[in-house]
Amino acid sequence: MYDEATIGARLRALRRWRGMTLDQLAGQAGLSKSFLSRAERGHRALDRRSHISALARVLRVSETDLVGAPHLTTDPAQAEPHTTVPAIRAALTTNTLTAPVADRARPLPELVAEVVRIDRQNHLVEVGRELPAVIDELHVHACAPADEAAHRVALEALIEAFQRAVFTSKDLGYSDLAHIAAMRAAEVAGILDTPVTTGKAASLRIHTMPTTTRELSLTAAEDAADALEPHVHDDLGVQVLGMLTLAAALMATVLYKYDRAEHWLDQAAELAACTADDPGGNWGAFSLTNVGVWKVSLATERGESGRALLDVAKAVDEEKLIPRRGRHATFLADVGRGLAREPRSQRDAMQWLRRAEAVAPHKIRNSMPVRETVGAMLARAADAAGGRELRGMAARMGVPH
């Protein structure tokens, strides 16, 4: 069952364990004492990466110690995806490029098509059930290819399968498993040895680097983007480079280097203008629409709320996000989280969060930032109607209510 301690409650316990006062913690983390006091009481959401990273650094603990590890609730949509994790872990850790676990495999073209289909699959349970077998079988082709061309096709498909394993694991809170998948992708990219596959692997590595190494992550993202840029000659190259620029913008934002983040967002927008605005089909969903989604996400990370955040969100064409329900749900949730920071926009925030949950319940009910926001809203809820709706969402996410 879910550990019922909120992030605020864990923060208080860890602060006292370290023998620190609120004044000391606030001063060293660069946050206000009043904010931390409200967070410890559950009245402010600790949902920004920069805040969590700063607090973990000062307390000398991992972010997992602060935010909590993945747990199960009694809600099937929240709990069921976790049942697929052992098989994903086995596929990533038992196969090697010289010794596959499976002794036979479907034809390579069929597996390549299956990887594409899984990448566009929006249901975490279905992804988790189908991905391990595909990884197993691609290793068969990688170990005993029909020819050199087939070998490269199998390896390229493995990178795509590892990418899906990275983000499925991250969505469910298994950062260690996401890191393993990223390292497997780097292993394969080293064999393929092309700028684009190296860029793909770098993107995955950046998103799974320890949260205590944000400066290194930013440097890695900028270096990878600079290394790939001279070799971009087609749409795929543009899309991979675009995702690296967005990763750099994210890391810069978490480090409060907002001017640098704006630089990389501008670079991403220029690249997106050179490729189709097709989040459903492009690598990493990179597109003008997706750049807009990232702008909302980074605005939320910066602490934007209310009208300012809604103005950023207006630029996003939600219709184009429909094929990527996970990305769509994240966009809706980011707007809802931002709106939840202002007392006068609580009802609007609830509408955005409920829309996000309706689009991708498995993803949203496993989202730490959304869970933290719902908990803070619940603690502040004053009217019975809002309280009932919040309590329903809280129950589905395992939030004490």
Side-chain angles (χ1 to χ4, degrees), residues 97 108 112 115-116 138 142 148-163 185 188-189 191-194 196-197 200 236 283:
L97 295 176
L108 184 55
V112 170
V115 169
V116 173
L138 283 172
E148 177 61 23
H151 188 217
R152 296 189 71 84
V153 169
L155 293 177
E156 288 169 356
L158 266 176
I159 289 182
E160 301 305 314
F162 291 147
Q163 179 200 34
V188 173
I191 297 171
L192 289 167
D193 194 25
T194 70
V196 170
T197 53
K200 287 182 177 182
L236 179 59
W283 194 84

Side-chain angles (χ1 to χ4, degrees), residues 220-272:
E222 293 180 331
D223 288 349
D226 290 341
L228 178 56
E229 195 275 334
H231 304 284
V232 170
H233 306 298
D234 57 17
D235 274 353
L236 179 59
V238 168
Q239 293 156 21
V240 175
L241 178 58
M243 293 309 297
L244 287 170
T245 63
L246 290 174
L250 170 61
M251 298 306 163
T253 300
V254 174
L255 291 166
Y256 301 105
K257 298 180 179 182
Y258 297 148
D259 288 345
R260 209 148 147 192
E262 285 301 318
H263 162 76
W264 287 111
L265 276 176
D266 289 344
Q267 293 294 306
E270 290 181 14
L271 288 164

Side-chain angles (χ1 to χ4, degrees), residues 276-287:
D277 191 11
D278 181 14
N282 292 355
W283 194 84
F286 183 73
S287 59

Side-chain angles (χ1 to χ4, degrees), residues 77-125:
Q78 189 278 334
E80 194 174 5
H82 295 266
T83 66
T84 69
V85 170
I88 296 175
R89 187 179 297 277
L92 291 173
T93 59
T94 58
N95 285 288
T96 73
L97 295 176
T98 57
V101 170
D103 56 6
R104 61 177 60 87
R106 285 166 283 179
L108 184 55
E110 182 179 336
L111 287 172
V112 170
E114 187 73 352
V115 169
V116 173
R117 190 186 66 78
I118 289 174
D119 182 57
R120 297 176 184 177
Q121 171 65 262
N122 293 298
H123 197 290
L124 285 177
V125 175

